[in-house]
């Protein structure tokens, strides 16, 4: 029960921040339009105005409602690098919170161009293998928490992304603690192996090259 209360509390915080916009003073963010592809991935176009860097837009994956594994059926999902919305091609840059939360999908590949994976994006999922792009810069807290089926993450970024807390951990109810997911291997580029071991020291023993 404690675990579920903690999870719901954290999700409430995520949604509060999301709907507050999480923007700098004078900056506004608005969801313009959402589309769902044939695989069940929903993409939302956001417009940001008043940013110090100027006005811009970006696309975030906001939901997955496609097939899930059942019996002998294995489902593989690829998050594309681009999506067309109203006849305009947009780059996909973010995989949002809860997209694959509790989803029973065997393999997920995130294409080049995506830069961020938000908190709880894969929380409690049944995925066994995830491939992450070289363009990835940020992984939010609890992004892969309690993914007890997860065996391998193929990470192609040569610069270790910034990560939040509890990203690759699972909750042990019998001890009431979070521990590193010891059955997981995080495969990184050979040239970046030492950099990952240093930057992600908490997960040093599950990083391989």
């Amino acid at each position: 029960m404690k675990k579920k209360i903690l999870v719901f509390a954290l999700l409430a915080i995520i949604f509060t921040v999301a709907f507050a916009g999480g923007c700098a003073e004078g900056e506004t963010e608005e969801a313009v339009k959402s589309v769902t592809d044939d695989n069940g991935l929903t993409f939302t176009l956001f417009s940001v105005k008043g940013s110090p860097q100027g006005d811009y837009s970006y696309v975030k994956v906001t939901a997955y409602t496609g097939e899930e594994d059942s019996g002998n059926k294995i489902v593989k999902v690829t998050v594309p690098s681009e999506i067309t919305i109203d006849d305009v091609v947009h780059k996909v840059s973010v995989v949002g919170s809860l997209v694959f939360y509790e989803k029973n999908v065997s393999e997920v590949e995130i294409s080049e161009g995506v830069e961020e994976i938000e908190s709880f994006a894969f929380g409690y999922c049944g995925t066994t293998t995830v491939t992450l792009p070289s363009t990835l810069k940020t992984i939010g807290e609890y992004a892969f928490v309690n993914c007890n089926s997860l065996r391998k993450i193929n990470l192609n970024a040569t610069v270790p992304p910034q990560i939040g807390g509890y990203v690759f951990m699972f909750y042990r109810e019998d001890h009431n603690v979070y521990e590193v997911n010891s059955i997981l291997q995080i495969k990184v580029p050979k040239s970046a192996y030492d950099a990952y071991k240093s930057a992600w020291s908490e997960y040093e023993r599950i990083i391989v090259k």
Side-chain angles (χ1 to χ4, degrees), residues 20-120:
C23 299
E25 184 176 355
E27 182 178 317
T28 61
E29 180 175 297
E30 179 183 4
V32 177
K33 187 171 185 176
S34 294
V35 298
T36 302
D37 69 8
D38 294 338
N39 297 314
L41 287 166
T42 298
F43 304 84
T44 302
L45 174 64
F46 288 88
S47 174
V48 179
K49 298 185 183 299
S51 165
Q53 293 77 37
D55 297 349
Y56 66 94
S57 61
Y58 72 96
V59 170
K60 177 193 298 189
V61 184
T62 49
Y64 175 72
T65 54
E67 285 189 292
E68 297 187 43
D69 293 0
S70 58
N72 295 325
K73 186 176 180 60
I74 295 176
V75 176
K76 300 179 181 180
V77 178
T78 298
V79 175
S81 58
E82 298 178 337
I83 187 70
T84 301
I85 300 176
D86 290 338
D87 298 323
V88 178
V89 177
H90 299 271
K91 294 184 181 301
V92 178
S93 58
V94 181
V95 175
S97 297
L98 308 178
V99 170
F100 292 103
Y101 186 85
E102 292 188 334
K103 299 296 183 181
N104 191 24
V105 176
S106 292
E107 297 182 24
V108 177
E109 180 176 356
I110 299 177
S111 298
E112 292 295 311
V114 172
E115 297 182 349
E116 180 179 0
I117 296 174
E118 291 186 339
S119 301
F120 282 101

Side-chain angles (χ1 to χ4, degrees), residues 163-169 179-181 186 196-197 200-207:
I163 57 174
Y166 303 95
V167 173
F168 304 111
M169 292 194 173
E179 295 182 353
V180 175
N181 184 355
I186 303 172
Y196 274 94
K197 299 272 274 192
W200 293 8
S201 57
E202 190 171 13
Y203 305 106
E204 179 180 5
R205 62 190 175 92
I206 61 172
I207 296 171

